[in-house]
Amino acid sequence: MKYKRSINGFVEVMAGLVEQNASGHVVLISEAGDWGKVAIHNGEIHSIGLGDYRGPEVLDYLQPMESIQFMFRPAHGKALDELLQSPGTARMDNNKFFYFFDYVLPKVGLGTTPLATEESTQQAAVAKILVVDDSALARKVVMRHLITADFAVVEAKDGFEAIGQLEHEHPDLVILDLIMPGMDGYQVVDIMKASVQFQNIPIIMLTARDSLMDKLKGKMSASDAYITKPVKKDILLEKLYHLLQ
């Protein structure tokens, strides 16, 4: 059976397939007529491709669409093995898929602190990034960029929580909001640079301010990079890859 639904409707159907532990593939036809498929095995989204797009980049392509046609075809045994090994798709998992669309899937506990699965982290050899911002929306935007780029992500809503996450999660890099109530970003940097344990962790300062004085103060705080809001994915990833080399 073929459906024509909004992207939200498509995501809800995918959630139903996950909760049913379905195996098979969803055939996709975009508004532009591009063909693709999503492979799913025992309720785990395995891979995705659509037109010339593969993996997480498909999600960026899907989001602005008003509707999409799709049809689920179950598969088992040899047919399923061939599907999971077929070309034309790229690795995907439940966390990245549903978190991108702000869909909370109770089965896998999405919507709180999104983390890459152990399997995907090992395969992609990704770094763990701590995102610190008192704005939940700002954190979500940054974390979405990171998750769709295959980074493992942890979050903190203020400076005090950030120190706790540093001790518990041992991140490879910190993205730190400058202006926060209580302990602000500058104070967190001071604590990190005074600590033998944390002093070598790269820091990207994040702020809505774009004045010359703010940039100078950001550099003087011993951060390694400076990004202004709204955060652009390409700029963020460029700085991340440079600092993590």
Side-chain angles (χ1 to χ4, degrees), residues 20-184:
Q20 295 165 26
N21 292 316
S23 293
H25 68 282
V26 179
V27 179
L28 303 175
I29 308 176
S30 73
E31 294 174 333
D34 293 322
W35 287 77
K37 63 183 176 182
V38 182
I40 185 169
H41 181 211
N42 292 335
E44 293 293 332
I45 297 174
H46 181 272
S47 57
I48 185 170
L50 179 60
D52 295 328
Y53 299 90
R54 301 288 179 268
E57 64 181 2
V58 173
L59 306 182
D60 289 314
Y61 180 53
L62 284 174
Q63 194 173 49
M65 295 183 190
E66 293 184 1
S67 63
I68 187 168
Q69 296 185 59
F70 58 92
M71 177 175 61
F72 175 65
R73 293 178 176 174
H76 303 280
K78 183 177 180 181
L80 179 60
D81 292 337
E82 292 176 352
L83 169 67
L84 298 179
Q85 297 172 14
S86 64
T89 58
R91 182 71 188 176
M92 178 58 64
D93 62 42
N94 291 354
N95 280 359
K96 283 184 286 188
F97 183 91
F98 290 105
Y99 186 79
F100 184 89
F101 293 104
D102 298 325
Y103 189 94
V104 178
L105 190 63
K107 178 180 178 181
V108 294
L110 295 178
T112 52
T113 303
L115 293 172
T117 62
E118 181 178 355
E119 179 182 4
S120 66
T121 300
Q122 291 174 346
Q123 289 181 347
V126 298
K128 181 185 292 185
I129 312 299
L130 170 60
V131 179
V132 187
D133 199 309
D134 61 311
S135 166
L137 178 59
R139 289 199 309 273
K140 181 170 288 188
V141 169
V142 173
M143 290 190 295
R144 176 181 291 172
H145 292 333
L146 297 173
I147 290 171
T148 57
D150 287 327
F151 286 100
V153 184
V154 291
E155 62 179 314
K157 64 179 180 295
D158 55 43
F160 294 104
E161 188 172 316
I163 300 303
Q165 290 286 53
L166 283 166
E167 294 178 345
H168 184 261
E169 296 290 346
H170 307 290
D172 299 291
L173 183 144
V174 177
I175 298 175
L176 182 63
D177 187 28
L178 205 64
I179 307 301
M180 297 183 292
M183 183 187 295
D184 64 19

